[in-house]
Amino acid sequence: MSHPSRRRRRRPAGTVLALVAALLVTLLPGLPFGAGTARAADAGTATVYYSTTATNWSAYNLHWAPSGGSWTTVPGVAMEAACTGWVKKTVDLGTATTWQATFNNGNGVWDNNGGNNYQLGTGLITVKDGTVAHSDPCAGTDPVEGTGATVYYSTASVGWTTVNLHWAPTGGSWTTVPGTGMEAACTGWVKKTVDLGTATTWQATFNNGNGTWDNNNGANYQLASGVSTVKNTVVTKNAKDPCAAEEPDTTAPSAPAQLKATASNTSVVLTWSAATDDTGVTGYQITRSGGTKGTSVISATSTVYSDTGLEPKTTYTYTVKALDAAGNLSPASAEAAATTGEQPAQTSGTPLGGDPRKDPIYFVLTARFYDGDSSNNRGGSQHVKSGNAANNDPMFRGDFKGLVNKLDYIKGLGFSAVWITPVVLNRSDYDYHGYHGYDFYKVDPRLESAGASYQDLIDAAHAKGMKIYQDVVYNHSSRWGAKGLFTPTVYGVRDSEWSWYYDAKNEGFEYDGLTVEPVSGKSYYNGDLWSTAEPSGNTCVNWGKPTGGKSAEGYTLYNCQWPSPTSGMFPKVLYHQCWIGNWEGEDSRSCWLHEDLADFNTENTQVQNYLIGAYDKYIDMGVDGFRVDTAVHIPRVTWNRRFLPAIQERVTQQFGAAKAQDFFVFAEVAAFVNDKWNRGSVNHSAQFYTWKERGEYDADDEKAALEQYTYEEQLGTGSQPTSTNAFLDGNTYHTPDRSKFSGMNIIDMRMHMNFGDASNAYNNGKDSDDSTNDATYNVVYVDSHDYGPNKSSNRYAGGTDAWAENMSLMWTFRGIPTLYYGSETEFQAGKQIDCGPTCPLASTGRAYYGDKLEGTVTASDFGTVSGASGAVATTLDAPLVKHVQRLNQIRRAVPALQMGQYSTADISGNMAYKRRYTDAASGVDSFALVTVTDGATFRNIPNGTYKDAVTGDVKTVTDGTLTAAAPGKGNLRVYVLDLGGKNAAPGKIGTAGPYLK
């Protein structure tokens, strides 16, 4: 049925009744003119609010009918004033649950929804500008009903089928337990409206009627009049109705601006300024024309896109449109064009894929591992001061060619993944380690050689079945900024005092760390970084003026002579402006950690796009994963909103969804404490980063970061999500729930900190597993290039027996075993890991390892060396080398040790556990009982035949119990259940060695 369409003019008074009558006869067949109102009944009611802002009528009538019932008599029933801009009417629907309505001014001007009538339901309803929603627009403002309050309670996290509201107005009495029943509002929500009397605030708790309560951890919920929502213990006052229908979004985003296209070989990198939208831009649509394939349309989510695999010497033209969630598309940007060059000699590699838990990791500082090409060795400005020159040991010594040459050594140890330090062009006085990134789009030439580029390394590793995990830095650049984003200009007077440090400008020379600048004779030339005249656009305070201080040499110091976050030298839109004060405070995520680590403002879109575009390049080259440096110093919400989705999008786009799922991201969340939660701060605890967000935050990333920090800190450690993904259900493997996984795995900092003793590391590690999304993906190591256990500044020196015990635990417990280069020979045990340029590298834990690798080595398989000569043959005879080789052989033969969940239930023993992995698709079912060093008894296990992978011992279990005698320090037992066929127990694996015997 329809009624006259909306009109905005008055008709002559004499024609109104005749017109209405004629319309009703024509448009409402079967409805007697003058029919009465809908019958009363004891079923549902509805209150409709109608907006007066667009009509400004002197009177408002509601003409309505319940579904299947009769219409009111024209012009309907008068509506009453509600609050400014609104009138309302409550109707009795009888047994109906839906109804239809029109509105009029009593003088022939109608609003009938364009001839369709308004189709309405029960509860609170608003009609404004043709849009129907569900809320009380007068909540908290109505002078008549201002003492009323409506609360919506989210049932998503509690899962109750019945929800009661137990409440009291401020200063008044509580309801009788369990309170009053709440009514269904919409999926995931229940609601209740209460009368506060003269009160304006109230408190409430919720329960399921069976003794389970949500009382805000004993504090009750403090509410106000109007509409409130309670979700995941968070109260929102003056809230929008969570069940209200969203108004349709018909506004398109703005057109993207400043589109630029830059060609390199057969790739084009596109950048543009972010578009804006009233609800938010969700993606971009790139149109490319040119080449033999014609026009193509490409999707992207960031404002940087790398278009690869194009035709050589071809001009391509691009435009970009922005897209919002409703599908609205912006106008196209201005065009940008670029012409590709020659086809590069190497094409992109392809990640190997496969479950990363199968791949033990060997971690190398590339510049300190093996020197394959001495022509790219560089000592830098600290070569003499550090003492490296005296040892003929330049900081940049190892390279990709050396790593390629020694891949068989790593494979012969049994490792199938290699974690390498950052590869981007670095810049500082001591930058061999890779964490002072300068040009994130360029591989550091000090690592490359002819025939041994980074692409060559990736391809060579893949040819041997080995993965490359690239260390990446999103948190900071070098102190000289990031080329292509921002590089600061410093003030240096090139007089007799400072000419030794600040080089003369050479406009035609570009720093790359390798090439020697002809005037200064330096590869570490810095003439592009200083100015004796104040640069245009300078923001640095007191630029070029003497500070009043002197350097260690007695030279005059000037303001802005050295990068600093507080001087204004770095723009705050791109870099943070403070020094860190509290490592467990919010400032640890938004301040500089060190003068050589200029802290990116990662909540800024321009910074995000710079980094996303840079790391897309290395994804395209086929790396298998990223190790993320300083992850804790970027808010989790920024990772979850921006960087992690960008990684997944790029890998999916280039290599498909399966490879994206296997692309391994593991992060350094530096929690250097021994407790489960880092000094009580959830935001600074490693496991926190494995979870998706569960709060809703501002669309602005900077505001969202603060909101997230506050929200999670207030919830505290007791309200963090938990997981059973690492744990067996009795003896049964269960499908893990990864739906809340953020995409970021973690280095197991708690085990690392406690590895002074293997048993301590084991007990601490498993204590944190219920708060990690899936601890079977944890990267586990004893020491690294930064710290030893208990934040020791020295490489691990617990002795060979203790090292063997640590390894036996790491290779059989949950997680991915990882070894820092040289630990297989206890290289530099007890030496200071890093002293900067104050001592020679040869005396530290970052010493050059190549002397132990001289000679030849060939690996026939993982953990098996078929031939070796020279110094490397001696290295391969070390007792821990033999130990780790066999551990890798055993782990590869038992799927439960790679990917299995674990349990310690019904087990007596110190480091003893059972593990199982089941995969229905492949038919794999692997069950193993493990004890390290000490004896153990396993009860309530499946009966059957068990074979020890270490000794070959066979035990038949008929009563659900198996006892293993103590194997001794560093040794272990791995009893595998023989399930026959492809799941038959392998028996003894490898040859007995100094510990596994």
Side-chain angles (χ1 to χ4, degrees):
M1 299 179 185
S2 61
H3 283 275
S5 61
R6 179 178 297 185
R7 300 180 178 89
R8 295 293 182 230
R9 67 180 188 276
R10 286 182 176 272
R11 291 186 174 272
T15 66
V16 170
L17 292 178
L19 176 60
V20 170
L23 285 167
L24 286 172
V25 170
T26 303
L27 300 175
L28 305 178
L31 175 62
F33 183 65
T37 59
R39 67 180 179 85
D42 57 357
T45 62
T47 300
V48 61
Y49 289 82
Y50 184 73
S51 172
T52 64
T53 55
T55 56
N56 199 29
W57 297 338
S58 58
Y60 292 83
N61 297 299
L62 171 67
H63 184 46
W64 69 280
S67 296
S70 301
W71 284 84
T72 55
T73 303
V74 174
V77 292
M79 302 186 73
E80 60 207 56
C83 57
T84 302
W86 293 91
V87 292
K88 69 175 183 178
K89 190 66 181 178
T90 299
V91 299
D92 184 348
L93 301 179
T95 59
T97 56
T98 58
W99 56 301
Q100 52 185 320
T102 66
F103 305 88
N104 65 86
N105 70 348
N107 267 322
V109 180
W110 291 77
D111 174 3
N112 67 359
N113 193 25
N116 295 317
N117 300 338
Y118 289 99
Q119 308 301 315
L120 309 177
T122 58
L124 298 174
I125 303 161
T126 60
V127 177
K128 182 178 182 180
D129 296 330
T131 299
V132 175
H134 294 270
S135 64
D136 182 353
C138 300
T141 65
D142 190 337
V144 177
E145 300 184 5
T147 56
T150 299
V151 61
Y152 287 82
Y153 182 74
S154 172
T155 60
S157 60
V158 294
W160 299 340
T161 56
T162 298
V163 183
N164 297 305
L165 171 67
H166 182 47
W167 68 280
T170 300
S173 300
W174 283 85
T175 55
T176 303
V177 174
T180 57
M182 301 187 74
E183 59 207 55
C186 58
T187 302
W189 292 92
V190 293
K191 71 174 183 177
K192 190 67 179 179
T193 300
V194 300
D195 184 353
L196 300 181
T198 57
T200 57
T201 58
W202 56 302
Q203 53 184 323
T205 66
F206 306 88
N207 66 86
N208 69 350
N210 267 320
T212 302
W213 288 77
D214 174 5
N215 63 1
N216 194 22
N217 294 320
N220 300 336
Y221 290 99
Q222 307 302 313
L223 307 176
S225 59
V227 176
S228 301
T229 61
V230 177
K231 182 178 182 181
N232 293 333
T233 73
V234 176
V235 173
T236 303
K237 299 177 181 178
N238 297 319
K240 294 180 180 179
D241 180 351
C243 298
E246 291 286 340
E247 293 190 11
D249 178 9
T250 58
T251 303
S254 65
Q258 298 178 316
L259 176 65
K260 296 180 181 179
T262 305
S264 176
N265 297 122
T266 54
S267 298
V268 173
V269 175
L270 299 173
T271 61
W272 59 91
S273 298
T276 58
D277 185 64
D278 58 337
T279 59
V281 174
T282 58
Y284 294 92
Q285 187 182 93
I286 302 167
T287 300
R288 177 188 67 209
S289 59
T292 60
K293 295 182 180 179
T295 300
S296 300
V297 178
I298 308 160
S299 296
T301 57
S302 74
T303 59
V304 175
Y305 181 79
S306 183
D307 198 11
T308 60
L310 302 173
E311 299 169 36
K313 296 183 178 180
T314 303
T315 299
Y316 290 91
T317 302
Y318 299 85
T319 59
V320 181
K321 297 179 180 180
L323 187 71
D324 66 17
N328 298 308
L329 204 58
S330 78
S333 68
E335 289 185 346
T339 302
T340 56
E342 297 285 352
Q343 181 74 39
Q346 286 284 353
T347 57
S348 296
T350 301
L352 290 182
D355 194 314
R357 294 173 295 181
K358 294 181 178 180
D359 301 299
I361 302 170
Y362 191 76
F363 171 35
V364 302
L365 270 72
T366 308
R368 308 303 301 157
F369 187 62
Y370 188 75
D371 188 6
D373 178 8
S374 61
S375 69
N376 58 14
N377 293 359
R378 293 293 181 270
S381 66
Q382 304 299 300
H383 189 47
V384 174
K385 179 182 178 181
S386 64
N388 291 337
N391 293 322
N392 193 25
D393 183 27
M395 60 171 182
F396 266 96
R397 188 171 177 184
D399 45 38
F400 293 147
K401 186 173 184 179
L403 190 49
V404 168
N405 289 343
K406 298 305 175 184
L407 285 174
D408 265 29
Y409 170 76
I410 298 171
K411 183 172 182 176
L413 295 178
F415 295 93
S416 51
V418 185
W419 158 15
I420 60 173
T421 40
V423 304
V424 305
L425 175 61
N426 266 231
R427 192 167 195 178
S428 77
D429 289 335
Y430 217 49
D431 57 2
Y432 65 95
H433 43 67
Y435 298 99
H436 296 168
Y438 174 67
D439 188 345
F440 287 70
Y441 285 77
K442 183 181 181 66
V443 175
D444 200 309
R446 292 168 287 188
L447 298 175
E448 294 194 300
S449 309
S453 67
Y454 186 33
Q455 186 69 65
D456 291 324
L457 169 63
I458 295 168
D459 294 344
H462 287 176
K464 294 180 181 295
M466 302 169 70
K467 295 179 177 180
I468 294 292
Y469 294 150
Q470 178 179 328
D471 210 322
V472 294
V473 184
Y474 288 78
N475 176 66
H476 57 264
S477 71
S478 74
R479 69 170 184 260
W480 302 121
K483 185 180 179 182
L485 181 70
F486 175 78
T487 301
T489 301
V490 301
Y491 180 85
V493 178
R494 293 200 73 254
D495 54 18
S496 59
E497 292 186 339
W498 290 108
S499 59
W500 66 276
Y501 187 77
Y502 292 106
D503 302 317
K505 281 191 180 295
N506 184 342
E507 299 292 351
F509 185 81
E510 185 174 350
Y511 168 87
D512 65 8
L514 177 71
T515 305
V516 174
E517 194 273 323
V519 177
S520 68
K522 300 175 180 177
S523 63
Y524 50 94
Y525 157 85
N526 64 14
D528 57 330
L529 296 174
W530 67 271
S531 176
T532 54
E534 185 169 3
S536 61
N538 168 57
T539 58
C540 193
V541 179
N542 295 319
W543 190 89
K545 297 178 182 179
T547 65
K550 299 287 185 179
S551 72
E553 300 87 353
Y555 302 154
T556 299
L557 294 174
Y558 298 89
N559 285 298
C560 310
Q561 193 170 9
W562 192 263
S564 164
T566 56
S567 66
M569 183 178 287
F570 288 79
K572 68 178 181 179
V573 70
L574 303 178
Y575 283 86
H576 290 133
Q577 304 285 297
C578 52
W579 292 109
I580 186 173
N582 178 7
W583 288 89
E584 279 74 45
E586 197 286 322
D587 60 335
S588 73
R589 311 182 315 157
S590 57
C591 295
W592 287 36
L593 311 179
H594 187 270
E595 62 189 8
D596 274 328
L597 310 178
D599 200 85
F600 283 131
N601 178 9
T602 49
E603 290 68 68
N604 173 266
T605 302
Q606 187 178 350
V607 173
Q608 293 168 356
N609 292 338
Y610 177 84
L611 293 167
I612 290 169
Y615 291 126
D616 279 352
K617 169 179 178 173
Y618 306 107
I619 291 172
D620 293 352
M621 294 174 74
V623 296
D624 301 278
F626 286 158
R627 180 268 185 182
V628 180
D629 181 72
T630 50
V632 70
H633 301 297
I634 295 175
R636 187 183 73 179
V637 68
T638 304
W639 285 114
N640 285 346
R641 281 184 176 184
R642 309 301 174 199
F643 297 132
L644 294 172
I647 292 170
Q648 279 292 301
E649 176 187 283
R650 189 63 173 193
V651 182
T652 301
Q653 181 185 82
Q654 296 296 91
F655 306 111
K659 291 293 175 68
Q661 181 178 341
D662 293 336
F663 191 89
F664 189 47
V665 178
F666 62 103
E668 175 204 29
V669 181
F672 298 125
V673 292
N674 297 323
D675 51 357
K676 182 172 183 176
W677 297 100
N678 187 1
R679 295 186 176 92
S681 173
V682 296
N683 280 281
H684 297 84
S685 301
Q687 61 267 35
F688 179 76
Y689 278 74
T690 65
W691 297 94
K692 288 181 178 179
E693 299 309 321
R694 53 195 179 137
E696 297 177 5
Y697 310 115
D698 195 280
D700 178 83
D701 284 357
E702 187 172 352
K703 293 178 182 178
L706 292 172
E707 290 174 357
Q708 180 226 43
Y709 181 87
T710 302
Y711 173 66
E712 293 291 353
E713 289 298 291
Q714 288 179 344
L715 286 180
T717 59
S719 298
Q720 294 302 308
T722 58
S723 169
T724 61
N725 285 341
F727 307 122
L728 291 173
D729 183 4
N731 295 313
T732 304
Y733 178 89
H734 63 91
T735 302
D737 177 8
R738 306 270 285 171
S739 62
K740 296 180 181 178
F741 174 53
S742 66
M744 179 179 283
N745 299 287
I746 53 172
I747 293 170
D748 197 320
M749 298 304 293
R750 194 168 183 201
M751 288 194 73
H752 166 49
M753 283 292 98
N754 286 279
F755 251 123
D757 175 75
S759 178
N760 197 36
Y762 165 69
N763 286 291
N764 274 274
K766 64 190 180 75
D767 179 51
S768 294
D769 288 352
D770 63 344
S771 59
T772 304
N773 183 269
D774 192 341
T776 65
Y777 287 85
N778 284 10
V779 170
V780 182
Y781 60 58
V782 173
D783 62 356
S784 73
H785 59 324
D786 286 325
Y787 292 104
N790 296 313
K791 206 177 181 182
S792 169
S793 60
N794 301 324
R795 286 195 74 158
Y796 182 72
T800 310
D801 288 353
W803 250 124
E805 185 177 51
N806 288 341
M807 290 180 179
S808 292
L809 174 64
M810 291 162 63
W811 261 258
T812 57
F813 189 44
R814 59 95 186 114
I816 303 171
T818 301
L819 202 66
Y820 182 42
Y821 82 98
S823 294
E824 66 274 18
T825 61
E826 297 178 83
F827 181 60
Q828 299 295 88
K831 297 294 181 64
Q832 185 177 1
I833 293 173
D834 175 33
C835 61
T838 64
C839 70
L841 283 166
S843 67
T844 73
R846 299 179 179 183
Y848 178 66
Y849 194 58
D851 295 339
K852 291 183 174 293
L853 302 178
E854 293 295 350
T856 62
V857 57
T858 303
S860 58
D861 201 352
F862 292 104
T864 304
V865 173
S866 57
S869 65
V872 70
T874 302
T875 299
L876 288 166
D877 278 336
L880 289 179
V881 168
K882 299 299 184 184
H883 190 54
V884 77
Q885 285 177 317
R886 193 164 181 220
L887 284 171
N888 273 319
Q889 293 170 355
I890 291 171
R891 191 176 187 273
R892 288 184 180 281
V894 184
L897 300 183
Q898 302 168 35
M899 301 166 289
Q901 295 164 343
Y902 76 94
S903 173
T904 59
D906 300 320
I907 300 173
S908 62
N910 183 20
M911 290 181 285
Y913 35 90
K914 53 188 175 182
R915 298 192 66 188
R916 189 168 205 153
Y917 176 73
T918 306
D919 180 40
S922 62
V924 171
D925 187 9
S926 175
F927 183 75
L929 309 174
V930 180
T931 184
V932 178
T933 300
D934 300 319
T937 297
F938 301 84
R939 297 180 178 84
N940 296 321
I941 60 172
N943 290 332
T945 300
Y946 290 79
K947 297 179 181 179
D948 179 23
V950 177
T951 65
D953 180 47
V954 178
K955 293 184 183 295
T956 301
V957 174
T958 58
D959 61 353
T961 301
L962 184 151
T963 297
K969 184 83 167 181
N971 203 348
L972 79 157
R973 296 290 178 259
V974 182
Y975 282 95
V976 181
L977 176 62
D978 193 334
L979 294 169
K982 68 188 303 180
N983 296 312
K988 182 179 179 180
I989 299 167
T991 304
Y995 292 100
L996 297 180
K997 54 188 178 180

